[in-house]
Amino acid sequence: MTPVALLRRLGGVIVLAISLVAGLVAGFLGAAVVTGAVPALAAAMLAAFAGTVFLLAWVAFALAAARRARRTALITAAALTVALAALTGVTVFRPMPGRPSPAAGPDVRYWNLPTGSRIAYSHVPASGAARPTPVVFLHGGPGTAGDGVSPAGTALAADGFDVYAYDQLGAGRSSRLSDVTGYTVARQVADLDAIRREIGAEKIILVGQSWGGALAAHYMAAHPGHVAKAVLSSPGVLWYGAFAGRSTGELWDRLTPARREHVEELASGPRMIALDLLAGINPEAAHALVGDREADARFREMLSASLPATTCPGRPAVRMPANRQGFYVNLFTIQDAATLPDPRPRLRSVRVPTLIMRGECDYKTWEVTYDYRRTLPESSLVYVPGAGHAIAMDRPKTYLGTLRAYLLDRPLPLPEYTGSTPPGSGGGRA
Protein backbone atom coordinates (compact mmCIF):
# COMPACT_ATOMS: atom_id res chain seq x y z
CA MET A 1 0.00 0.00 0.00
CA THR A 2 1.39 3.39 -0.99
CA PRO A 3 1.80 6.14 1.61
CA VAL A 4 -0.95 8.14 -0.09
CA ALA A 5 -3.35 5.23 0.07
CA LEU A 6 -2.46 4.61 3.70
CA LEU A 7 -3.13 8.23 4.58
CA ARG A 8 -6.46 8.10 2.78
CA ARG A 9 -7.47 4.98 4.66
CA LEU A 10 -6.33 6.47 7.95
CA GLY A 11 -8.27 9.63 7.20
CA GLY A 12 -11.33 7.54 6.47
CA VAL A 13 -11.02 5.77 9.81
CA ILE A 14 -10.68 9.10 11.64
CA VAL A 15 -13.73 10.53 9.87
CA LEU A 16 -15.66 7.37 10.71
CA ALA A 17 -14.68 7.57 14.39
CA ILE A 18 -15.60 11.26 14.60
CA SER A 19 -18.94 10.56 12.95
CA LEU A 20 -19.75 7.76 15.38
CA VAL A 21 -18.85 9.86 18.41
CA ALA A 22 -20.83 12.78 17.03
CA GLY A 23 -23.87 10.57 16.57
CA LEU A 24 -23.51 9.19 20.06
CA VAL A 25 -23.17 12.63 21.70
CA ALA A 26 -25.88 14.18 19.53
CA GLY A 27 -28.40 11.54 20.54
CA PHE A 28 -27.52 11.77 24.21
CA LEU A 29 -27.52 15.56 24.46
CA GLY A 30 -30.39 15.99 22.02
CA ALA A 31 -32.62 13.89 24.22
CA ALA A 32 -31.44 15.80 27.28
CA VAL A 33 -32.91 19.00 25.84
CA VAL A 34 -36.42 17.59 26.13
CA THR A 35 -36.29 15.01 28.91
CA GLY A 36 -34.53 14.21 32.13
CA ALA A 37 -35.53 10.54 32.13
CA VAL A 38 -32.48 8.29 32.10
CA PRO A 39 -34.13 5.49 30.03
CA ALA A 40 -35.07 8.03 27.36
CA LEU A 41 -31.53 9.39 27.33
CA ALA A 42 -30.08 5.92 26.92
CA ALA A 43 -32.55 4.99 24.20
CA ALA A 44 -31.95 8.21 22.26
CA MET A 45 -28.19 7.79 22.50
CA LEU A 46 -28.30 4.22 21.23
CA ALA A 47 -30.81 5.08 18.49
CA ALA A 48 -28.67 7.97 17.23
CA PHE A 49 -25.57 5.78 17.31
CA ALA A 50 -27.32 2.93 15.49
CA GLY A 51 -28.63 5.28 12.83
CA THR A 52 -25.21 6.85 12.30
CA VAL A 53 -23.51 3.44 12.01
CA PHE A 54 -26.16 2.16 9.61
CA LEU A 55 -25.91 5.14 7.25
CA LEU A 56 -22.11 5.15 7.22
CA ALA A 57 -21.90 1.39 6.74
CA TRP A 58 -24.53 1.40 3.99
CA VAL A 59 -22.69 4.09 2.07
CA ALA A 60 -19.34 2.33 2.55
CA PHE A 61 -20.64 -1.07 1.44
CA ALA A 62 -22.51 0.44 -1.49
CA LEU A 63 -19.40 2.28 -2.69
CA ALA A 64 -17.47 -0.97 -2.39
CA ALA A 65 -20.14 -2.66 -4.51
CA ALA A 66 -20.77 -5.19 -1.75
CA ARG A 67 -23.73 -7.54 -2.15
CA ARG A 68 -26.70 -6.86 0.08
CA ALA A 69 -25.15 -3.61 1.31
CA ARG A 70 -28.25 -2.55 3.18
CA ARG A 71 -28.62 -5.83 5.06
CA THR A 72 -24.92 -5.93 5.91
CA ALA A 73 -25.07 -2.35 7.16
CA LEU A 74 -28.09 -3.19 9.34
CA ILE A 75 -26.30 -6.17 10.89
CA THR A 76 -23.19 -4.05 11.48
CA ALA A 77 -25.23 -1.31 13.15
CA ALA A 78 -27.04 -3.81 15.37
CA ALA A 79 -23.82 -5.51 16.47
CA LEU A 80 -22.01 -2.26 17.28
CA THR A 81 -25.03 -0.86 19.09
CA VAL A 82 -25.27 -3.95 21.29
CA ALA A 83 -21.55 -3.59 22.05
CA LEU A 84 -22.03 0.10 22.87
CA ALA A 85 -24.99 -0.67 25.11
CA ALA A 86 -22.87 -3.13 27.06
CA LEU A 87 -20.00 -0.65 27.31
CA THR A 88 -22.11 2.29 28.46
CA GLY A 89 -23.98 0.01 30.82
CA VAL A 90 -20.80 -0.50 32.83
CA THR A 91 -19.50 3.07 32.48
CA VAL A 92 -21.96 5.94 31.90
CA PHE A 93 -25.06 4.19 33.27
CA ARG A 94 -23.45 2.20 36.06
CA PRO A 95 -23.84 3.99 39.41
CA MET A 96 -20.67 4.86 41.29
CA PRO A 97 -20.33 3.68 44.88
CA GLY A 98 -22.41 5.69 47.31
CA ARG A 99 -21.78 6.27 50.97
CA PRO A 100 -24.34 5.80 53.74
CA SER A 101 -25.13 8.86 55.78
CA PRO A 102 -23.53 8.76 59.22
CA ALA A 103 -25.94 8.33 62.08
CA ALA A 104 -27.08 11.61 63.56
CA GLY A 105 -25.78 12.27 67.05
CA PRO A 106 -28.11 13.02 69.95
CA ASP A 107 -27.40 16.75 69.61
CA VAL A 108 -28.69 16.96 66.02
CA ARG A 109 -32.10 18.56 65.67
CA TYR A 110 -34.12 19.87 62.73
CA TRP A 111 -35.86 23.04 61.68
CA ASN A 112 -38.66 22.84 59.13
CA LEU A 113 -38.36 26.33 57.71
CA PRO A 114 -41.12 28.27 55.90
CA THR A 115 -38.78 28.38 52.89
CA GLY A 116 -39.36 24.63 52.47
CA SER A 117 -35.91 23.62 53.75
CA ARG A 118 -35.47 20.96 56.41
CA ILE A 119 -32.30 22.02 58.18
CA ALA A 120 -30.19 19.91 60.54
CA TYR A 121 -28.56 21.89 63.32
CA SER A 122 -26.74 21.63 66.63
CA HIS A 123 -27.17 24.02 69.53
CA VAL A 124 -24.99 24.59 72.57
CA PRO A 125 -26.84 26.83 75.04
CA ALA A 126 -25.05 29.55 76.93
CA SER A 127 -23.48 28.73 80.25
CA GLY A 128 -24.23 31.03 83.15
CA ALA A 129 -25.58 34.48 82.36
CA ALA A 130 -26.65 34.38 78.73
CA ARG A 131 -25.70 37.19 76.39
CA PRO A 132 -28.52 38.67 74.30
CA THR A 133 -27.14 37.87 70.83
CA PRO A 134 -26.73 34.27 69.61
CA VAL A 135 -23.81 33.14 67.45
CA VAL A 136 -24.49 31.27 64.20
CA PHE A 137 -21.64 29.43 62.46
CA LEU A 138 -21.73 29.20 58.66
CA HIS A 139 -19.78 26.37 57.06
CA GLY A 140 -17.89 26.59 53.79
CA GLY A 141 -18.21 24.99 50.38
CA PRO A 142 -20.89 25.61 49.35
CA GLY A 143 -21.81 22.14 50.56
CA THR A 144 -18.94 21.23 52.89
CA ALA A 145 -20.83 20.73 56.11
CA GLY A 146 -18.96 20.13 59.35
CA ASP A 147 -19.85 17.97 62.36
CA GLY A 148 -22.03 20.18 64.54
CA VAL A 149 -20.74 22.88 66.87
CA SER A 150 -16.96 23.22 66.76
CA PRO A 151 -14.67 23.49 69.81
CA ALA A 152 -14.59 27.23 69.21
CA GLY A 153 -18.37 27.31 69.38
CA THR A 154 -18.35 25.34 72.64
CA ALA A 155 -15.88 27.84 74.09
CA LEU A 156 -18.16 30.73 73.08
CA ALA A 157 -21.08 29.01 74.81
CA ALA A 158 -18.98 28.98 77.98
CA ASP A 159 -18.62 32.75 77.50
CA GLY A 160 -22.38 33.16 77.64
CA PHE A 161 -23.36 32.94 73.96
CA ASP A 162 -26.10 30.73 72.59
CA VAL A 163 -24.30 28.95 69.74
CA TYR A 164 -25.79 27.33 66.63
CA ALA A 165 -24.19 25.45 63.74
CA TYR A 166 -26.32 24.13 60.90
CA ASP A 167 -25.99 22.18 57.67
CA GLN A 168 -26.97 24.46 54.84
CA LEU A 169 -29.63 23.32 52.39
CA GLY A 170 -28.19 20.62 50.11
CA ALA A 171 -25.41 19.64 52.52
CA GLY A 172 -24.87 17.38 55.49
CA ARG A 173 -28.08 16.00 56.98
CA SER A 174 -30.25 18.83 55.63
CA SER A 175 -32.73 18.27 52.83
CA ARG A 176 -31.86 18.18 49.14
CA LEU A 177 -33.83 19.85 46.34
CA SER A 178 -35.39 17.85 43.53
CA ASP A 179 -34.76 20.86 41.27
CA VAL A 180 -31.03 21.44 41.64
CA THR A 181 -31.23 24.86 39.97
CA GLY A 182 -32.95 26.01 43.16
CA TYR A 183 -29.58 26.09 44.94
CA THR A 184 -28.90 29.81 44.87
CA VAL A 185 -27.29 32.42 47.07
CA ALA A 186 -30.70 34.01 47.61
CA ARG A 187 -32.13 30.71 48.87
CA GLN A 188 -29.31 30.33 51.39
CA VAL A 189 -29.82 33.93 52.55
CA ALA A 190 -33.57 33.29 52.91
CA ASP A 191 -32.90 30.14 54.95
CA LEU A 192 -30.53 32.02 57.24
CA ASP A 193 -33.09 34.74 57.88
CA ALA A 194 -35.74 32.09 58.57
CA ILE A 195 -33.32 30.52 61.07
CA ARG A 196 -32.87 33.89 62.78
CA ARG A 197 -36.63 34.13 63.21
CA GLU A 198 -36.82 30.49 64.31
CA ILE A 199 -34.45 31.11 67.22
CA GLY A 200 -36.29 34.33 68.10
CA ALA A 201 -33.35 36.68 67.65
CA GLU A 202 -33.64 40.26 66.43
CA LYS A 203 -29.90 40.27 65.76
CA ILE A 204 -27.35 37.49 65.34
CA ILE A 205 -23.57 37.21 65.27
CA LEU A 206 -22.30 35.45 62.13
CA VAL A 207 -19.07 33.44 62.04
CA GLY A 208 -18.41 32.30 58.47
CA GLN A 209 -15.65 30.10 57.09
CA SER A 210 -14.68 30.37 53.39
CA TRP A 211 -17.99 30.33 51.44
CA GLY A 212 -19.66 30.88 54.81
CA GLY A 213 -17.93 34.27 54.92
CA ALA A 214 -19.39 35.16 51.53
CA LEU A 215 -22.82 34.01 52.70
CA ALA A 216 -22.51 36.23 55.78
CA ALA A 217 -21.70 39.21 53.55
CA HIS A 218 -24.66 38.53 51.25
CA TYR A 219 -26.88 38.25 54.31
CA MET A 220 -25.59 41.58 55.62
CA ALA A 221 -26.33 43.16 52.25
CA ALA A 222 -29.91 41.89 52.39
CA HIS A 223 -30.58 42.25 56.16
CA PRO A 224 -28.02 44.64 57.65
CA GLY A 225 -30.20 45.46 60.64
CA HIS A 226 -30.21 41.87 61.84
CA VAL A 227 -26.45 41.38 62.23
CA ALA A 228 -24.70 42.56 65.39
CA LYS A 229 -21.20 41.43 64.44
CA ALA A 230 -19.51 39.21 61.88
CA VAL A 231 -16.28 37.24 61.77
CA LEU A 232 -15.14 36.12 58.31
CA SER A 233 -12.41 33.48 58.33
CA SER A 234 -10.72 33.02 54.94
CA PRO A 235 -13.83 34.36 53.16
CA GLY A 236 -14.57 33.25 49.62
CA VAL A 237 -15.17 35.46 46.60
CA LEU A 238 -17.49 38.36 47.41
CA TRP A 239 -18.35 39.21 43.78
CA TYR A 240 -17.02 37.19 40.86
CA GLY A 241 -17.46 40.11 38.48
CA ALA A 242 -14.54 41.85 40.15
CA PHE A 243 -12.22 39.05 39.03
CA ALA A 244 -13.31 38.55 35.42
CA GLY A 245 -10.40 36.96 33.60
CA ARG A 246 -8.31 36.74 36.78
CA SER A 247 -7.67 33.82 39.08
CA THR A 248 -9.18 33.93 42.55
CA GLY A 249 -7.03 31.03 43.75
CA GLU A 250 -8.31 27.47 43.97
CA LEU A 251 -7.36 24.30 45.81
CA TRP A 252 -6.32 22.96 42.42
CA ASP A 253 -3.49 25.49 42.32
CA ARG A 254 -1.87 23.96 45.42
CA LEU A 255 -2.20 20.24 44.65
CA THR A 256 0.89 18.13 44.09
CA PRO A 257 1.05 16.51 40.62
CA ALA A 258 0.11 13.13 42.10
CA ARG A 259 -2.92 14.50 43.95
CA ARG A 260 -3.96 16.55 40.94
CA GLU A 261 -3.90 13.42 38.80
CA HIS A 262 -5.99 11.59 41.40
CA VAL A 263 -8.59 14.36 41.53
CA GLU A 264 -8.68 14.44 37.72
CA GLU A 265 -9.39 10.71 37.69
CA LEU A 266 -12.25 11.16 40.14
CA ALA A 267 -13.75 14.01 38.12
CA SER A 268 -13.25 12.69 34.59
CA GLY A 269 -14.71 9.18 34.47
CA PRO A 270 -17.36 8.52 31.78
CA ARG A 271 -20.22 8.98 34.24
CA MET A 272 -18.86 12.24 35.63
CA ILE A 273 -18.22 13.55 32.11
CA ALA A 274 -21.82 12.72 31.19
CA LEU A 275 -23.02 14.51 34.33
CA ASP A 276 -20.96 17.56 33.46
CA LEU A 277 -22.33 17.69 29.90
CA LEU A 278 -25.91 17.28 31.07
CA ALA A 279 -25.61 19.88 33.83
CA GLY A 280 -25.14 22.61 31.25
CA ILE A 281 -28.10 21.49 29.13
CA ASN A 282 -30.65 19.98 31.47
CA PRO A 283 -29.79 19.92 35.18
CA GLU A 284 -32.80 17.68 35.78
CA ALA A 285 -31.24 15.07 33.51
CA ALA A 286 -27.88 15.35 35.28
CA HIS A 287 -29.59 14.88 38.65
CA ALA A 288 -31.58 11.92 37.35
CA LEU A 289 -28.46 10.25 35.97
CA VAL A 290 -26.33 10.77 39.10
CA GLY A 291 -28.39 11.10 42.26
CA ASP A 292 -27.50 13.02 45.40
CA ARG A 293 -26.07 10.15 47.42
CA GLU A 294 -23.81 9.04 44.60
CA ALA A 295 -22.70 12.56 43.67
CA ASP A 296 -22.11 13.51 47.29
CA ALA A 297 -19.89 10.46 47.82
CA ARG A 298 -17.75 11.31 44.78
CA PHE A 299 -17.55 14.96 45.90
CA ARG A 300 -16.33 13.78 49.28
CA GLU A 301 -13.56 11.75 47.62
CA MET A 302 -12.47 14.78 45.60
CA LEU A 303 -12.45 17.00 48.67
CA SER A 304 -10.57 14.46 50.73
CA ALA A 305 -7.85 14.24 48.09
CA SER A 306 -7.58 18.04 48.04
CA LEU A 307 -7.50 18.75 51.79
CA PRO A 308 -3.68 18.89 52.16
CA ALA A 309 -3.71 21.98 49.94
CA THR A 310 -5.74 23.87 52.55
CA THR A 311 -2.88 24.00 55.07
CA CYS A 312 0.59 25.48 55.24
CA PRO A 313 3.36 23.13 54.07
CA GLY A 314 4.39 20.73 56.82
CA ARG A 315 1.16 21.12 58.76
CA PRO A 316 -1.03 18.05 59.43
CA ALA A 317 -3.81 17.59 56.91
CA VAL A 318 -7.27 18.80 57.89
CA ARG A 319 -9.60 16.03 59.05
CA MET A 320 -12.51 15.27 56.74
CA PRO A 321 -15.83 15.56 58.63
CA ALA A 322 -17.93 12.41 58.84
CA ASN A 323 -20.96 14.40 57.69
CA ARG A 324 -22.19 14.23 54.09
CA GLN A 325 -20.94 16.80 51.61
CA GLY A 326 -23.20 18.38 48.99
CA PHE A 327 -22.22 18.11 45.31
CA TYR A 328 -25.15 19.80 43.60
CA VAL A 329 -25.44 22.68 46.07
CA ASN A 330 -21.77 23.35 45.45
CA LEU A 331 -22.08 23.25 41.66
CA PHE A 332 -25.20 25.35 41.24
CA THR A 333 -24.68 27.85 44.06
CA ILE A 334 -21.29 28.75 42.60
CA GLN A 335 -22.85 29.07 39.16
CA ASP A 336 -25.51 31.35 40.60
CA ALA A 337 -22.95 33.43 42.51
CA ALA A 338 -21.06 34.06 39.27
CA THR A 339 -24.16 35.75 37.78
CA LEU A 340 -25.17 37.99 40.70
CA PRO A 341 -25.11 41.77 40.54
CA ASP A 342 -22.41 43.51 42.53
CA PRO A 343 -23.35 43.54 46.26
CA ARG A 344 -20.51 45.87 47.22
CA PRO A 345 -22.29 49.23 46.67
CA ARG A 346 -24.89 48.19 49.24
CA LEU A 347 -22.30 46.73 51.62
CA ARG A 348 -20.37 50.01 51.65
CA SER A 349 -23.24 51.50 53.64
CA VAL A 350 -23.53 48.56 56.08
CA ARG A 351 -22.18 49.54 59.50
CA VAL A 352 -21.74 46.06 60.98
CA PRO A 353 -18.50 45.52 62.95
CA THR A 354 -16.68 42.80 61.02
CA LEU A 355 -13.41 40.98 61.63
CA ILE A 356 -11.66 39.44 58.62
CA MET A 357 -9.08 36.71 59.27
CA ARG A 358 -6.48 35.89 56.61
CA GLY A 359 -4.08 32.95 56.86
CA GLU A 360 -0.49 33.19 55.64
CA CYS A 361 -0.89 30.15 53.34
CA ASP A 362 -4.47 30.71 52.19
CA TYR A 363 -4.85 29.43 48.64
CA LYS A 364 -7.28 32.23 47.87
CA THR A 365 -5.58 35.27 46.38
CA TRP A 366 -4.93 38.30 48.56
CA GLU A 367 -7.31 40.37 46.43
CA VAL A 368 -10.22 38.06 47.34
CA THR A 369 -9.65 38.71 51.05
CA TYR A 370 -8.89 42.41 50.75
CA ASP A 371 -12.07 43.01 48.74
CA TYR A 372 -13.97 42.60 52.02
CA ARG A 373 -11.69 44.97 53.90
CA ARG A 374 -12.08 47.81 51.42
CA THR A 375 -15.83 47.21 51.02
CA LEU A 376 -17.06 46.90 54.60
CA PRO A 377 -16.64 50.26 56.36
CA GLU A 378 -16.60 48.83 59.92
CA SER A 379 -14.19 46.00 59.14
CA SER A 380 -10.70 45.18 60.36
CA LEU A 381 -8.24 42.59 59.11
CA VAL A 382 -5.85 40.32 60.99
CA TYR A 383 -3.13 38.25 59.36
CA VAL A 384 -2.47 34.81 60.89
CA PRO A 385 1.06 33.45 60.38
CA GLY A 386 1.36 29.69 59.96
CA ALA A 387 -2.26 29.22 58.92
CA GLY A 388 -3.75 28.13 55.63
CA HIS A 389 -7.34 28.36 54.45
CA ALA A 390 -8.67 26.49 57.50
CA ILE A 391 -7.34 28.82 60.21
CA ALA A 392 -9.32 27.12 62.98
CA MET A 393 -7.61 23.83 62.13
CA ASP A 394 -4.07 25.13 61.52
CA ARG A 395 -3.89 27.57 64.43
CA PRO A 396 -6.74 26.63 66.77
CA LYS A 397 -5.50 28.58 69.81
CA THR A 398 -4.86 31.72 67.78
CA TYR A 399 -8.20 31.39 66.01
CA LEU A 400 -10.14 30.89 69.23
CA GLY A 401 -8.29 33.63 71.08
CA THR A 402 -8.94 36.12 68.28
CA LEU A 403 -12.58 35.10 67.90
CA ARG A 404 -13.31 35.33 71.63
CA ALA A 405 -11.50 38.66 72.01
CA TYR A 406 -13.43 40.21 69.13
CA LEU A 407 -16.83 39.03 70.30
CA LEU A 408 -16.11 39.97 73.92
CA ASP A 409 -14.78 43.42 72.98
CA ARG A 410 -11.30 42.70 74.30
CA PRO A 411 -7.94 43.61 72.73
CA LEU A 412 -7.08 41.25 69.88
CA PRO A 413 -4.09 38.92 70.34
CA LEU A 414 -3.01 39.80 66.79
CA PRO A 415 -2.43 43.34 65.55
CA GLU A 416 -4.78 44.77 62.98
CA TYR A 417 -3.25 44.63 59.52
CA THR A 418 -3.82 47.92 57.72
CA GLY A 419 -1.85 47.40 54.53
CA SER A 420 -3.51 47.15 51.14
CA THR A 421 -1.03 44.54 49.91
CA PRO A 422 0.02 41.28 51.59
CA PRO A 423 2.86 41.19 54.13
CA GLY A 424 6.24 40.89 52.51
CA SER A 425 5.16 42.63 49.31
CA GLY A 426 6.59 45.98 50.35
CA GLY A 427 3.31 47.78 50.89
CA GLY A 428 1.81 45.98 53.85
CA ARG A 429 2.00 47.03 57.48
CA ALA A 430 0.64 45.85 60.79
Side-chain angles (χ1 to χ4, degrees):
M1 181 182 297
T2 65
V4 173
L6 180 62
L7 287 174
R8 285 178 178 172
R9 179 166 294 185
L10 181 61
V13 171
I14 293 174
V15 170
L16 176 62
I18 292 174
S19 300
L20 292 179
V21 172
L24 175 68
V25 174
F28 186 67
L29 298 183
V33 172
V34 296
T35 182
V38 173
L41 294 175
M45 179 187 70
L46 294 175
F49 180 79
T52 303
V53 172
F54 173 73
L55 290 175
L56 291 173
W58 189 7
V59 171
F61 290 138
L63 292 176
R67 297 179 62 188
R68 299 180 179 178
R70 183 175 179 179
R71 180 182 178 185
T72 305
L74 185 61
I75 293 172
T76 301
L80 290 179
T81 302
V82 169
L84 177 67
L87 178 62
T88 56
V90 297
T91 55
V92 174
F93 295 105
R94 181 183 181 183
M96 299 177 288
R99 184 176 184 271
S101 297
D107 63 325
V108 176
R109 307 174 196 176
Y110 293 88
W111 288 308
N112 291 307
L113 302 179
T115 59
S117 302
R118 178 172 168 79
I119 297 296
Y121 75 97
S122 297
H123 171 220
V124 179
S127 299
R131 297 176 184 274
T133 310
V135 175
V136 180
F137 280 81
L138 305 175
H139 66 70
T144 56
D147 287 322
V149 175
S150 66
T154 302
L156 290 179
D159 288 327
F161 293 99
D162 260 344
V163 178
Y164 296 86
Y166 72 96
D167 298 344
Q168 295 160 26
L169 175 69
R173 297 180 179 88
S174 292
S175 60
R176 267 61 175 171
L177 294 177
S178 56
D179 177 7
V180 291
T181 61
Y183 292 123
T184 63
V185 176
R187 177 60 179 267
Q188 299 291 357
V189 167
D191 279 354
L192 178 52
D193 197 52
I195 288 168
R196 178 192 61 78
R197 295 194 300 271
E198 191 76 24
I199 62 180
E202 179 61 25
K203 289 193 175 188
I204 52 180
I205 295 169
L206 297 177
V207 180
Q209 161 65 27
S210 191
W211 143 256
L215 174 57
H218 285 289
Y219 184 83
M220 286 192 286
H223 305 283
H226 292 307
V227 183
K229 278 187 176 181
V231 178
L232 315 180
S233 177
S234 306
V237 177
L238 178 55
W239 183 55
Y240 282 90
F243 300 93
R246 293 189 293 151
S247 172
T248 59
E250 301 298 335
L251 274 173
W252 181 264
D253 303 331
R254 297 285 183 86
L255 293 178
T256 64
R259 287 191 176 275
R260 185 175 299 176
E261 182 179 356
H262 180 47
V263 174
E264 281 182 335
E265 289 174 356
L266 292 171
S268 60
R271 194 164 168 83
M272 291 299 290
I273 291 173
L275 184 159
D276 187 54
L277 290 172
L278 290 174
I281 297 172
N282 185 347
E284 177 190 357
H287 193 212
L289 177 68
V290 182
D292 287 301
R293 189 172 300 278
E294 181 185 350
D296 290 353
R298 178 52 59 95
F299 186 45
R300 179 187 177 83
E301 289 185 80
M302 295 166 66
L303 288 170
S304 182
S306 304
L307 280 180
T310 65
T311 63
C312 282
R315 290 275 181 179
V318 175
R319 179 184 64 85
M320 192 71 192
N323 208 350
R324 277 180 70 182
Q325 309 303 297
F327 175 84
Y328 285 107
V329 68
N330 179 273
L331 177 65
F332 286 98
T333 306
I334 290 175
Q335 286 187 11
D336 176 66
T339 66
L340 293 179
D342 190 351
R344 295 175 302 175
R346 181 167 178 80
L347 286 171
R348 290 187 183 107
S349 64
V350 172
R351 315 298 298 190
V352 174
T354 303
L355 177 67
I356 304 157
M357 301 177 69
R358 164 83 185 188
E360 176 187 4
C361 306
D362 194 347
Y363 63 82
K364 286 294 182 186
T365 63
W366 169 262
E367 289 76 13
V368 167
T369 305
Y370 194 72
D371 203 22
Y372 288 84
R373 175 64 188 87
R374 65 185 168 205
T375 297
L376 296 165
E378 297 292 330
S379 66
S380 54
L381 171 66
V382 294
Y383 185 80
V384 187
H389 191 65
I391 299 173
M393 298 294 182
D394 274 356
R395 297 291 304 275
K397 291 183 179 180
T398 302
Y399 172 82
L400 177 57
T402 305
L403 177 62
R404 290 183 68 231
Y406 190 72
L407 297 189
L408 296 171
D409 296 317
R410 297 173 181 169
L412 298 180
L414 294 173
E416 181 180 354
Y417 187 82
T418 58
S420 60
T421 57
S425 63
R429 60 192 184 279

